[in-house]
Structures are given as structure tokens and as C-alpha cells.
Amino acid sequence: MYGVCGCCGALRPRYKRLVDNIFPEDPEDGLVKTNMEKLTFYALSAPEKLDRIGAYLSERLIRDVGRHRYGYVCIAMEALDQLLMACHCQSINLFVESFLKMVAKLLESEKPNLQILGTNSFVKFANIEEDTPSYHRSYDFFVSRFSEMCHSGHEDLEIKTKIRMSGIKGLQGVVRKTVNDELQANIWDPQHMDKIVPSLLFNLQHVEEAESRSPSPLQAPEKEKEIPAELAERCLRELLGRAAFGNIKNAIKPVLVHLDNHSLWEPKVFAIRCFKIIMYSIQLLSHLDANSRSAATVRAGIVEVLSEAAVIAATGSVGPTVLEMFNTLLRQLRLSIDYALTGSYDGAISLGTKIIKEHEERMFQEAVIKTIGSFASTLPTYQRSEVILFIMSKVPLPSLHHPMEMGRTGENRNRLTQIMLLKSLLQVSTGFQCNNMMSALPSNFLDRLLSTALMEDAEIRLFVLEILISFIDRHGNRHKFSTISTLSDISVLKLKVDKCSRQDTIFMKKHSQQLYRHIYLSCKEEANIQQHYEALYGLLALISIELANEEVVVDLIRLVLAVQDMAQVNEENLPVYNRCALYALGAAYLNLISQLTTVPAFCQHIHEVIESRKKEAPYMLPEDVFVERPRLSQNLDGVVIEFLFRQSKISEVLGGSGYNADRLCLPYIPQLTDEDRLSKRKSIGETISLQVEVESRNSPEKEERVPAEEITYETLKKAIVDSVAVEEQERERRRQVVEKFQKAPFEEIAAHCGARASLLQSKLNQIFEITIRPPPSPSGTITAAYGQPQNHSIPVYEMKFPDLCVY
């Protein structure tokens, strides 16, 4: 039967006819492209035939190799490459098996051209990302064969170079194909590393000879591509760059063995070259720990080398695990702070102790912060998020239970640590791009970050504002708000504005009030300078652009109007500059938001107030306040209403455009929390004992006074902790009620509400019965049936009243 089908072409399967048609009569004519397109279309239309197509092509290629028909071999490999690039389906695994069988057949050939042809096809295959995993594929043969090609000793120098370069490219392809796929063979096993690494080093050690034979500089770029040593170095860098902390040992051990076996420690030029490639991946970090007590300039040099190495490191990993690397750098940062505060490496200055120069430690700290930013810039988004959370967890937060420690220069260790870690956090967050704000600013991170925003230190508060801005700014608009102004047309800023996404809306519903409260409380700080107001303006503007919907716009307007009231009422006794700055901040933001909302009446009101200020009160505008020499007014108590933005007017004009007028009419009042009280400020240990005399009211006949009660740190701490515990219980009770109504079944909620309604109705019935029922008879009660007492009612006119009631 099969013999008959072979003689009669029309009876052969269609896929065989399509495969046969791609081969021309003369192999020099090359692949028949029109027939190849038909074969590709057939393979895409019927993917279940793909494995048979591969098997038939493999059969033809093996037959052509045996008959030395190398022209047809090249055509078959070209067809295989095109099918492999075009077809990504669930049947691709069976096709790949046929493909790898044909590549292995070419690599087994003694013909250099066939080896190079097979290698090129394998490299193309290695760059393809497969849709489905393979559980049984093995690359052991390819590792062995490519390693053997790297040691080629062909008589012809040019052919030897091509074979070696093909072997290096093949090893590079094997690494790329297997290193990121956990289902593939573990390429980091010693049996594979003992072949791959020595093969790369064998070609790398001939770089000195290649450099000595290098031609003129004009010809060098062309010849450089033909040197296996350069390709081997790039491949070794890529291999080490993809190594995780647990695999780096398997990659380094073959290097040491190779140096021993080939006596390459003397001279040490090649050994130094090898370790320059691998040093930054793990050794420099441990070397930095080993030199933690060296001079600050030495440690700064090591850190700067790390920073430069991070630029060429592979994305996602540079040897050790990511958090371990950042932990090492943060540990060095803390040690440097301790050295600067104590003045010595041992924590105490004694005879013979090396005195530390504080400015050198500052230089080292800046180098560490720069290196942290360099490392973070090479990481993908998800790993950078982990690093951000990790650094934030190291920031010491104020606590009543941990008094501040004072250092030699009068600055406490906690404050310096906070500043340095926040600087590091700002470096990592710069350029951070995340479409989902819930992922960029998770609750645990945002709570810790905002708690530092309420501290007394102005520098720390400025860092927090800058960090928030770097997270929220996803379209590069930050620099457009670097100066506060009241532009008549904001189109000149060329802002990039996108519609608020659903994830951003959810984020603002959850965290908006928390953000508003901290912005409001930050405006009240007396120590604010121009940079703080610029950061507050940038934060308000970026929230309006990146995260705003109608509800957020309304709340932001209410917030800014509350800031204006803060400056007008001045309950905080703010200096004149701060009050003028708050007026100017409100004017600049309302000018921006009015043009973003494009409500004509709203824009007109804002414009009228700004023009009134320009004529008679320029000290309430940013152009006169936020300059090198501010022009301020000494009397801000009698500000006329024409200079103020009126909440009633804004709610009226925005309510007519579809905004929530009822919400706009409500003044913004921040919600004070335990965090606002406990994150402050000065240590409660500074509280002096107070003598409070309390009169005893329990026994009126005694005129004695109780002894004066002494209030100390412990009593105040106990009172605060007790009040916090009560509030915490109340908050927990509310949370349980809300959770019950959110998660409980409808029947349970209905039964609960029905029981409460029944209880209310029974109470009302009792009240009505008492109110409407006639009074009981003065004659008393009689016993009704079943022994139940019953009141006897008599008419009012028959009642006998006491003599006192008779007139």
C-alpha cells in the first residue's frame, strides 16, 4: 500500500506533497518561496500536522546529509527556521523535537559549514519564547558539542575561528534558553558548568595574543568581531549576570580549577582579568563588609566601583539576592552614621584611636545612596517595589517607648538614620513607573511614610513630600510645577493628562482622606520654607492630574479653602511669611484646578480674586511671596472679602456644572488620629512633674484637701496608653460592625434588623400604653380571673381628691 502511494504522487498525504514542493530541481535556485508560504499556511491552519511535517523534513535532511546533497540540507534548515518562527501552538513541542534532532545531526557532521549552519539555527531557536513548557527536553548533547567546538583545533585559522565562535554562540543560546525556565534542565549544575565555563575561559585567555596581532586602528572594528575572546567575555558576563546567589558558587569554582590546571596564577594577568569580570557580582559586597573599619575614602571607592558595576549588570540580579545586597549597603550606611557620631570605629575615643573626619563619612554616605539608586535602576518594577518596602521598614519611627539618643554633634542617631534612609528611598523611587497606585503605595508602606510627615524636622518632612511626588508622577509633569505661579493659560505647560483609571479611583477612595489630612497638617508647620510650599503645590497639582475624578476635585478644593481659612483665622499663630505663603499656595492651586475643570464661571471667579490681589494685595500671590526677597504685609488681620476665594460662590458655580454642591458647602475638617499624637515631636520625657491639687468631693462634711498628686512621665504615659486602648477598642468594635454588614448573609442581617425593630416597637407600645391609659383607681386593685391583678378605672368626675386640691 505504502509503495503504491510512493509511486503515485497524488495519493501521498498533503503535508508530504507540500514539503516536497518547497525543494527546487536545482538546489542552487534556493527555497521555492510561494510553495513555502503554502506550507506555512497549512501548518498554521492544521497545527496537529506540525509534528508530521517536522518528522518528514527531518527524514529528508538526514537522507540528504548521507548523500552529501548539502544544497538541499540548507533549504531544509531554512524551511525549518521559518516554520519555527511562524508557529507557536500547543503542538510546537513535538515539532521542536524533530528540529533539535536535525540540528544535532548537523553538529555531528565533520563539515564545518554544516556545524555552523546547525549552530545558527539553534541560536534562532534559543531566542524564541515558547508558549507552552517542555518537561522532557534535554540539552546535554548540545552543551557537550558546543563546548567541544569551543576547543576546535582546525588547521585553517579562519575556519577554526568560525567554529569556536559558533561554539560560544551555541553555549550562549543554551544559557538563554534554560536559565529562566524552571522546567528545563538546571544549567547551573556542576556537570554543565564544568564544561561551559572552561570553554569560555579557554577562548578568553587568547585575548592577549589577539591584541598583540591586532591590525591598525582603522581595521580594528572589523577584526574585533572575528575574535572569539571578545565574544567569550560577553558570554561570561551574561552568564554571571544571570546567576542568583545560590548558583554563583557553581560558576566561580570552574574558574579557580581552570586557573590551577593551566598554571595561570603566575603570571597573574589573566587571573586578574577573570576576576574583574566576576568580582562585582558577589565579592565586592563581602569585601565591603570586610573593610567596614577602613578609612571612609577607601570604603567610598569600593562603593563607587559597585555603582559603576551596577550600570552594566543584568536586569533583575547582579549575583547575590537583591534584598541581601541592599541590606549590606544599608548596614554600611548605619555604621557610617555611628562612626560620624562617636568619632571613632570603636565607639569611644582613646589613645591611639584613629580620629574619623566627619566630612569624609558624609562623602561615603552620599556614595552609598548613589549606589543604592544605581542598583535600583537596573531592577524590574516588582523587585524595586520589594526594595522600597524593605528600605521603609528600616526607617526608625518616633515612639514614646524609645527615647532619642544624642550624638557627639548634638544630632541624634535616629534623625540622621531617618534622613539617610529617606534619601535612599528617594533615589530608588525616582523614575519608578507603576500603573497601579495600589501596588506602588501599599497601605503598610504609606502608613509608615506618612507618619514621618508629621515630625518636627523640616528636612525629613520635605523628603517625605518629594518621595510622594516621585511615586504619583507617572507622566513626567513634576518639573512643570517646580515654581509656584498663577499662569493665565496653563496650556503652555504642555501637561500630560490621562483619565483616572479604576485602580486609581479605588486607591483614592481608600487613602484620599489620609493624604488630605497630612497635607493640611503639613501646611500648619511653622518651620516651613519655600521648598516645602513648592513641594505641597507639586503634590496637590499631581494628585489633580494623575488621580483626580470629580469627587477628588471637590475634596481638594475644600482642602485648599480650609488652608485659606487657616491663614485667615491664624489659630496656630503662624508668622506673616507662612500666612502669606498659604494665601499664595491657595491662589496658585485654585488657578490651576479651575483651568483643568474648564468651568467658565469657576475660572471667572478665580480670575477676579487674583486680579483684585494683584492691584491691592500682591503679598497674597506667589509672584511676590516665593521669591528671594519676599514682599510681605505686616497686617493680615483685616483681609477684605474681595481678596478671598469664597466657598459659597465656588459651590454655586461648580454645582451648576454637575459637581456635588452639598459636599462643596461643607468645610474641610481633618480627622485627628492616634498617629497624629504619637508621631510627634518632642520627647514626653521633657515633661516636668506638675503639682495638681484636687479637692475631694466624696465627703462634703470634710474640708480637708487631699495631698497634691504628682504627675510624672510614667503617669502621663499610662494615661495616654489607656486612652489609646479605649479608642482602639471602639475602633475595633466599629470595624467588626462594618465587616459584619459587608460579609454576613442577607438573612442574618435581616433577622438582626428585624429584632431591633421589634424591640423598638415594644418600647414604643409601652410608652403609648402609659401615656394613653387612664390613671388607676384610688380604691386600689381587684383580682381578675386566673389570679392576675387588674386595675379598676373609674370616671374622673367620681374620683375623690384630697382637700389640698379643692379651691
Side-chain angles (χ1 to χ4, degrees):
M1 180 66 182
Y2 290 104
V4 174
C5 294
C7 296
C8 185
L11 297 177
R12 304 187 72 197
R14 185 183 178 189
Y15 72 90
K16 287 189 176 182
R17 284 184 278 124
L18 291 173
V19 170
D20 291 336
N21 291 339
I22 67 174
F23 293 93
E25 293 184 2
D26 187 358
E28 294 183 359
D29 294 339
L31 184 68
V32 181
K33 294 183 178 180
T34 55
N35 293 335
M36 185 64 211
E37 291 175 358
K38 295 179 182 179
L39 178 61
T40 304
F41 179 77
Y42 177 76
L44 292 172
S45 303
E48 67 276 1
K49 301 291 185 180
L50 194 59
D51 57 331
R52 299 187 183 182
I53 294 174
Y56 185 57
L57 273 172
S58 175
E59 180 185 336
R60 286 204 54 152
L61 183 138
I62 294 173
R63 184 177 62 206
D64 291 334
V65 169
R67 296 176 179 178
H68 305 287
R69 300 165 65 179
Y70 301 124
Y72 287 123
V73 171
C74 295
I75 293 174
M77 290 306 301
E78 184 179 355
L80 281 169
D81 292 341
Q82 292 190 22
L83 287 174
L84 198 62
M85 297 294 292
C87 301
H88 291 278
C89 59
Q90 294 182 354
S91 303
I92 192 70
N93 280 330
L94 297 176
F95 177 74
V96 168
E97 294 300 325
S98 300
F99 170 79
L100 293 178
K101 186 189 298 183
M102 287 180 275
V103 172
K105 184 66 177 179
L106 295 180
L107 294 177
E108 289 173 348
S109 173
E110 296 180 357
K111 298 290 183 181
N113 291 337
L114 295 184
Q115 297 176 14
I116 295 172
L117 178 64
T119 302
N120 293 338
S121 294
F122 182 84
V123 171
K124 293 178 184 178
F125 161 71
N127 293 326
I128 296 175
E129 294 185 5
E130 298 181 52
D131 297 335
T132 54
S134 175
Y135 299 92
H136 56 279
R137 196 179 302 160
S138 174
Y139 295 96
D140 294 353
F141 167 78
F142 296 99
V143 172
S144 301
R145 183 56 183 158
F146 288 138
S147 300
E148 184 180 346
M149 291 170 64
C150 289
H151 293 83
S152 173
H154 200 279
E155 297 176 355
D156 191 327
L157 179 61
E158 184 176 356
I159 295 177
K160 180 176 69 174
T161 301
K162 289 182 178 180
I163 294 176
R164 288 187 178 184
M165 291 192 68
S166 295
I168 297 171
K169 290 178 181 178
L171 291 177
Q172 191 176 32
V174 172
V175 171
R176 288 178 178 177
K177 195 65 179 175
T178 58
V179 73
N180 292 325
D181 192 348
E182 296 180 356
L183 299 176
Q184 303 284 6
N186 190 359
I187 199 66
W188 303 108
D189 286 344
Q191 59 178 349
H192 299 310
M193 286 291 105
D194 290 344
K195 297 176 182 177
I196 295 175
V197 175
S199 301
L200 298 177
L201 294 177
F202 177 78
N203 287 274
L204 185 61
Q205 73 185 82
H206 292 84
V207 66
E208 309 298 336
E209 302 174 6
E211 289 178 354
S212 63
R213 296 194 306 267
S214 60
S216 63
L218 294 177
Q219 299 176 350
E222 298 178 359
K223 290 292 182 181
E224 188 177 8
K225 299 179 182 179
E226 301 176 0
I227 298 176
E230 298 293 336
L231 183 59
E233 180 177 348
R234 289 197 298 270
C235 184
L236 184 60
R237 286 184 183 275
E238 181 178 354
L239 177 70
L240 295 172
R242 293 174 181 268
F245 184 64
N247 301 324
I248 195 70
K249 288 184 178 180
N250 292 341
I252 293 179
K253 185 177 180 180
V255 177
L256 302 175
V257 174
H258 182 83
L259 295 176
D260 291 337
N261 293 340
H262 294 269
S263 302
L264 294 174
W265 293 109
E266 293 182 7
K268 58 186 178 181
V269 178
F270 179 70
I272 292 175
R273 181 178 179 85
C274 291
F275 275 90
K276 279 185 177 180
I277 297 173
I278 65 177
M279 187 69 75
Y280 71 89
S281 62
I282 184 170
Q283 300 298 325
L284 270 182
L285 283 173
S286 58
H287 192 63
L288 181 61
D289 280 337
N291 287 271
S292 59
R293 294 195 176 190
S294 299
T297 53
V298 174
R299 287 180 282 127
I302 297 175
V303 170
E304 287 171 1
V305 172
L306 273 171
S307 178
E308 295 297 326
V311 178
I312 62 172
T315 301
S317 176
V318 285
T321 57
V322 175
L323 294 184
E324 178 64 25
M325 174 174 39
F326 281 94
N327 191 34
T328 300
L329 293 174
L330 294 179
R331 182 169 62 248
Q332 292 297 322
L333 198 59
R334 283 178 174 272
L335 287 174
S336 178
I337 292 172
D338 289 339
Y339 296 159
L341 288 174
T342 59
S344 71
Y345 296 118
D346 300 322
I349 299 178
S350 59
L351 187 63
T353 301
K354 184 177 180 181
I355 303 300
I356 294 175
K357 297 179 180 179
E358 192 171 344
H359 71 277
E360 292 183 354
E361 291 297 333
R362 297 277 184 183
M363 187 192 316
F364 169 72
Q365 292 163 13
E366 294 298 329
V368 171
I369 293 171
K370 177 186 174 184
T371 303
I372 288 174
S374 299
F375 273 126
S377 64
T378 66
L379 300 177
T381 302
Y382 74 95
Q383 280 189 329
R384 199 187 289 200
S385 299
E386 293 178 358
V387 171
I388 288 170
L389 292 175
F390 180 74
I391 295 177
M392 194 66 224
S393 67
K394 299 291 184 180
V395 178
L397 296 180
S399 173
L400 295 176
H401 306 285
H402 298 87
M404 301 292 187
E405 299 179 15
M406 303 306 294
R408 177 173 59 113
T409 61
E411 296 175 296
N412 60 75
R413 180 177 285 100
N414 285 339
R415 176 184 175 276
L416 287 177
T417 305
Q418 288 164 356
I419 290 175
M420 291 302 166
L421 292 179
L422 289 175
K423 277 186 178 181
S424 304
L425 194 59
L426 182 60
Q427 283 281 339
V428 176
S429 62
T430 301
F432 181 71
Q433 295 290 332
C434 186
N435 295 327
N436 188 353
M437 289 303 298
M438 295 291 289
S439 300
L441 294 173
S443 298
N444 55 345
F445 170 78
L446 189 61
D447 291 342
R448 292 182 64 88
L449 181 64
L450 291 180
S451 65
T452 59
L454 300 176
M455 299 184 64
E456 187 178 32
D457 193 281
E459 187 177 3
I460 290 177
R461 287 188 282 106
L462 184 59
F463 278 129
V464 173
L465 292 174
E466 292 291 345
I467 290 169
L468 283 173
I469 288 172
S470 64
F471 276 110
I472 296 175
D473 181 25
R474 294 173 291 184
H475 294 88
N477 291 317
R478 171 67 181 99
H479 67 281
K480 300 171 184 177
F481 302 110
S482 57
T483 57
I484 308 178
S485 61
T486 53
L487 293 174
S488 57
D489 184 10
I490 64 170
S491 62
V492 297
L493 297 177
K494 297 181 180 179
L495 299 174
K496 299 177 182 178
V497 183
D498 282 343
K499 186 178 179 181
C500 183
S501 64
R502 181 175 177 273
Q503 291 85 358
D504 294 342
T505 302
I506 295 173
F507 172 80
M508 290 304 290
K509 281 185 177 293
K510 185 175 182 180
H511 298 294
S512 59
Q513 296 303 319
Q514 191 179 11
L515 287 171
Y516 302 154
R517 183 177 71 249
H518 284 80
I519 292 174
Y520 181 84
L521 296 176
S522 296
C523 291
K524 295 170 64 175
E525 297 294 338
E526 185 177 339
N528 285 346
I529 57 177
Q530 180 176 340
Q531 285 80 1
H532 290 86
Y533 295 110
E534 289 174 350
L536 287 167
Y537 174 67
L539 182 58
L540 288 168
L542 289 171
I543 291 176
S544 305
I545 292 174
E546 298 280 354
L547 305 173
N549 50 28
E550 290 188 1
E551 182 180 349
V552 173
V553 169
V554 168
D555 287 340
L556 287 173
I557 293 173
R558 291 173 56 227
L559 172 63
V560 173
L561 291 175
V563 171
Q564 176 184 260
D565 293 340
M566 180 198 305
Q568 183 183 7
V569 178
N570 197 24
E571 292 180 351
E572 303 291 330
N573 294 322
L574 296 174
V576 175
Y577 173 79
N578 294 64
R579 297 178 67 186
C580 292
L582 292 179
Y583 281 125
L585 175 65
Y589 176 73
L590 290 175
N591 174 69
L592 172 69
I593 197 66
S594 64
Q595 297 185 55
L596 288 175
T597 56
T598 64
V599 178
F602 184 31
C603 295
Q604 182 181 357
H605 171 66
I606 303 301
H607 179 71
E608 289 174 356
V609 176
I610 291 176
E611 289 299 321
S612 301
R613 291 186 180 183
K614 283 182 179 179
K615 294 177 182 178
E616 303 182 30
Y619 51 83
M620 299 174 70
L621 292 175
E623 286 78 8
D624 278 32
V625 177
F626 301 117
V627 290
E628 186 176 353
R629 294 182 178 179
R631 293 181 287 275
L632 308 176
S633 172
Q634 297 302 322
N635 185 14
L636 291 175
D637 295 332
V639 177
V640 296
I641 195 171
E642 287 78 10
F643 301 157
L644 299 176
F645 302 100
R646 299 191 295 279
Q647 190 160 7
S648 58
K649 179 67 175 178
I650 293 175
S651 61
E652 177 186 347
V653 296
L654 288 181
S657 299
Y659 289 86
N660 191 342
D662 295 336
R663 190 174 181 85
L664 273 168
C665 292
L666 296 174
Y668 174 76
I669 300 175
Q671 301 173 356
L672 293 178
T673 63
D674 300 336
E675 173 192 31
D676 303 330
R677 292 191 293 271
L678 295 181
S679 67
K680 293 280 187 187
R681 299 284 176 137
K682 301 172 183 177
S683 174
I684 201 168
E686 298 176 3
T687 305
I688 302 174
S689 298
L690 303 176
Q691 301 297 325
V692 181
E693 295 183 355
V694 181
E695 292 188 11
S696 175
R697 298 180 178 270
N698 296 332
S699 51
E701 61 271 52
K702 294 185 180 181
E703 297 291 337
E704 299 179 358
R705 298 178 182 270
V706 297
E709 180 183 357
E710 183 179 2
I711 298 181
T712 59
Y713 166 78
E714 291 297 333
T715 56
L716 282 178
K717 183 177 76 170
K718 183 178 179 182
I720 291 176
V721 171
D722 290 344
S723 63
V724 170
V726 172
E727 294 178 6
E728 186 68 23
Q729 292 175 1
E730 178 65 19
R731 190 159 50 246
E732 178 65 19
R733 187 188 66 80
R734 292 179 181 176
R735 187 191 64 78
Q736 290 177 356
V737 171
V738 172
E739 185 178 5
K740 178 179 179 181
F741 275 88
Q742 287 179 343
K743 298 182 179 180
F746 174 76
E747 293 78 7
E748 182 180 343
I749 297 175
H752 177 71
C753 295
R756 295 187 62 181
S758 301
L759 180 62
L760 177 62
Q761 186 63 41
S762 65
K763 295 294 183 184
L764 289 175
N765 291 338
Q766 293 179 13
I767 295 172
F768 292 150
E769 185 179 357
I770 294 173
T771 305
I772 300 173
R773 188 180 60 193
S777 170
S779 61
T781 61
I782 63 174
T783 302
Y786 307 105
Q788 297 292 332
Q790 184 177 5
N791 289 326
H792 238 335
S793 298
I794 59 176
V796 177
Y797 59 85
E798 292 183 1
M799 289 184 181
K800 294 181 180 181
F801 294 96
D803 294 339
L804 293 175
C805 297
V806 179
Y807 293 92

